[in-house]
Amino acid sequence: MNYYSLNKKAPNTTFKNAVIKGLAPDKGLYFPESITPLPADFFKNLDNLSNSEIAFTAIKQFVSPEIPEDVLKTIVEETLSFNFPVVKLDENVSTLELFHGPTMAFKDVGARFMARCLGYFNKNNTNEVTVLVATSGDTGGAVANGFLGVKGVNVVILYPSGKVSDIQEKQLTTLGQNITALEVDGVFDDCQDMVKRAFLDEELTSKMQLTSANSINVARWLPQLFYFIFAYKQLHNTHKKIVFSVPSGNFGNICAGMMAQQLGLPIHHFIASNNKNNVVTTYLKTEEYNPKPSVQTISNAMDVGNPSNFIRIQEIHKNDFGALTENLSSYSFSDEETKEALAHIYKTYNYVADPHGAVGYLGCKAYLKNNNDVHCVFLETAHPTKFLDVVEDVIKEKQPLPEQIQEVMHKTKVATKIGSYNDLKSYLLNN
């Protein structure tokens, strides 16, 4: 499979090169040259396939022939070493739990898959690769864990000071080895802008091989399509049309779901559930796309004012606004509404959600008001104990810490503070 830049001003390239480079030379995101739908029988027979078999079939066309099938099977099995249960709340609403991996966030899938792909590509390479990644919360920990100890790969994570939860910060600042954390005086968009600027800095790129592990990277983004298929496998016997409500920040996750749909997965509709960072919600109402500075909320992983992956969503829909709005709805919710939803979910279903899942639940309820003949699945993207201060304050119930969280709580944070792109550049050149 070859990939092209969405800016259409760079040569097409291989999967390997797209993974290693992250961004195209013309600053565009890479997108696969073609998407071949899978046979209808594949989706009808999901009950007879393991998660690893499903994922291998779904991803194979996007990585072949550069990753041999036996290697790809191993990568997939190692990536999917945990479960993706669907929990039914009532006749119309379920949640897909994506927090059973090592860092208890949905990004474990993409980070582990990408780390193994990059490790394979770099196994005979004497040159080191530096993975540069910005995080608004969970990406940092997932990438740090996924790449820990990978030969020939150094990871540098930028995160906004004071704007990630304590547990998220511990997960990305305590691992050591080939993982470095840079604490940025700013917001997530500042971190993301620094990363993009570094890729375009010829003085830097002439001295080191940089790549990104944000969802702009095809190997981080594409494997997220797996769990939409896993959810459908668990729900297709409900005999209702299935709608996914995705808590959306950088829009990589919902975009991956749309790729699963392109492969033939019978998804009826998508909901982009936003917090107050609602560029896309506004766009779908006005057809005017106006990125703006992000604002801080209690669902911090969605605090993105200029979502990188939305251009991929537009490409999937051939830049046809009508086609996009047929397939995608979007709603925006305040912190107060999110807290009310957390309390309601706990009181009504005895289920503890995290703030991002609560936003997804609100998206379900908003859509179901006028579409009561569907089954709506909201993605529970991180374990609620990663947001203890918010969750415990709302539900008034002490939450036990899972083993994965307990492991990092007493470790010592190690991070270097930076305030500007020049600080980042200086750090990379001198370390």
Side-chain angles (χ1 to χ4, degrees):
M1 173 69 72
N2 280 342
Y3 288 76
Y4 64 92
S5 166
L6 291 179
N7 283 349
K8 313 285 174 69
K9 295 176 182 174
N12 291 10
T13 194
T14 60
F15 175 72
K16 176 180 178 179
N17 203 45
V19 173
I20 292 173
K21 296 293 184 185
L23 274 177
D26 63 356
K27 311 178 193 177
L29 273 63
Y30 282 117
F31 197 83
E33 279 186 346
S34 62
I35 304 167
T36 303
L38 297 171
D41 282 352
F42 171 73
F43 297 105
K44 289 177 183 173
N45 294 321
L46 290 177
D47 290 340
N48 301 318
L49 300 172
S50 68
N51 281 354
S52 292
E53 289 169 329
I54 290 167
F56 170 77
T57 302
I59 202 74
K60 183 170 60 173
Q61 66 175 286
F62 299 111
V63 305
S64 295
E66 290 156 281
I67 297 184
E69 288 196 1
D70 59 329
V71 174
L72 180 59
K73 285 178 180 176
T74 300
I75 288 173
V76 165
E77 285 170 7
E78 291 178 356
T79 297
L80 303 175
S81 60
F82 46 92
N83 295 322
F84 303 84
V86 170
V87 177
K88 193 172 180 181
L89 300 187
D90 61 35
E91 283 307 304
N92 291 104
V93 179
S94 292
T95 183
L96 170 61
E97 293 185 345
L98 300 176
F99 54 68
H100 293 277
T103 72
M104 313 211 81
F106 79 92
K107 296 174 182 181
D108 280 325
V109 171
R112 286 157 70 86
F113 185 86
M114 182 188 165
R116 284 154 177 77
C117 289
L118 197 55
Y120 173 74
F121 291 142
N122 211 41
K123 68 181 189 301
N124 297 319
N125 192 351
T126 55
N127 298 323
E128 291 190 333
V129 175
T130 297
V131 174
L132 199 56
V133 61
T135 184
S136 57
D138 285 324
T139 297
V143 168
N145 187 280
F147 281 87
L148 185 66
V150 174
K151 176 181 172 289
V153 179
N154 296 312
V155 179
V156 178
I157 301 167
L158 286 72
Y159 73 99
S161 182
K163 294 178 176 64
V164 302
S165 76
D166 291 344
I167 290 171
Q168 287 172 324
E169 186 174 44
K170 283 291 180 91
Q171 286 183 320
L172 61 95
T173 62
T174 60
L175 290 177
Q177 293 189 51
N178 59 328
I179 312 296
T180 300
L182 300 181
E183 185 176 358
V184 177
D185 182 16
V187 297
F188 169 74
D189 294 313
D190 299 316
C191 302
Q192 184 160 263
D193 288 344
M194 286 186 196
V195 168
K196 289 180 177 178
R197 189 170 168 187
F199 287 130
L200 304 171
D201 188 328
E202 291 184 5
E203 185 182 355
L204 264 184
T205 56
S206 66
K207 293 183 171 67
M208 56 176 36
Q209 176 62 67
L210 294 177
T211 192
S212 171
N214 283 90
S215 56
I216 60 175
N217 193 301
V218 294
R220 239 297 314 277
W221 159 58
L222 281 168
Q224 294 175 145
L225 66 84
F226 296 158
Y227 40 70
F228 290 89
I229 311 178
F230 301 161
Y232 178 81
K233 175 184 175 181
Q234 296 171 71
L235 285 169
H236 68 95
N237 289 326
T238 61
H239 304 299
K240 285 187 176 180
K241 292 176 284 191
I242 295 175
V243 173
F244 284 98
S245 175
V246 185
S248 298
N250 224 4
F251 277 72
N253 212 15
I254 195 167
C255 185
M258 289 173 176
M259 290 295 285
Q261 185 185 47
Q262 292 291 301
L263 290 175
L265 186 67
I267 300 174
H268 177 64
H269 196 75
F270 288 94
I271 303 160
S273 296
N274 288 168
N275 56 27
K276 279 301 175 184
N277 296 280
N278 57 1
V279 171
V280 171
T281 303
T282 303
Y283 170 69
L284 293 179
K285 290 176 182 171
T286 65
E287 209 171 340
E288 292 182 11
Y289 192 78
N290 295 312
K292 53 189 178 183
S294 60
V295 295
Q296 189 172 358
T297 74
I298 60 171
S299 48
N300 65 289
M302 297 152 61
D303 294 350
V304 182
N306 187 13
S308 293
N309 284 286
F310 195 66
I311 189 172
R312 282 180 171 141
I313 288 175
Q314 291 173 309
E315 186 75 2
I316 288 170
H317 296 90
K318 299 180 168 52
N319 293 293
D320 181 331
F321 184 75
L324 176 60
T325 52
E326 279 285 310
N327 196 36
L328 178 66
S329 300
S330 185
Y331 309 97
S332 170
F333 305 100
S334 67
D335 278 356
E336 199 51 47
E337 289 172 304
T338 304
K339 289 179 181 179
E340 288 172 6
L342 282 171
H344 173 78
I345 294 167
Y346 185 61
K347 183 179 178 182
T348 307
Y349 305 112
N350 195 31
Y351 186 86
V352 182
D354 90 293
H356 305 77
V359 172
Y361 172 80
L362 287 168
C364 282
K365 300 307 281 187
Y367 184 80
L368 285 166
K369 283 179 185 174
N370 298 313
N371 303 274
N372 59 10
D373 60 336
V374 304
H375 194 85
C376 195
V377 185
F378 68 92
L379 273 54
E380 182 65 4
T381 53
H383 195 280
T385 55
K386 297 186 84 167
F387 309 94
L388 270 181
D389 53 342
V390 175
V391 172
E392 290 185 343
D393 181 60
V394 169
I395 69 170
K396 309 303 181 188
E397 191 84 38
K398 196 79 177 163
Q399 294 300 296
L401 290 179
E403 185 180 330
Q404 295 100 309
I405 303 297
Q406 290 183 35
E407 283 178 5
V408 299
M409 286 305 291
H410 303 296
K411 291 185 177 180
T412 303
K413 165 188 166 182
V414 179
T416 300
K417 292 193 174 184
I418 65 171
S420 68
Y421 174 72
N422 285 336
D423 292 344
L424 170 63
K425 183 173 179 177
S426 174
Y427 180 87
L428 292 173
L429 290 172
N430 295 314
N431 290 274

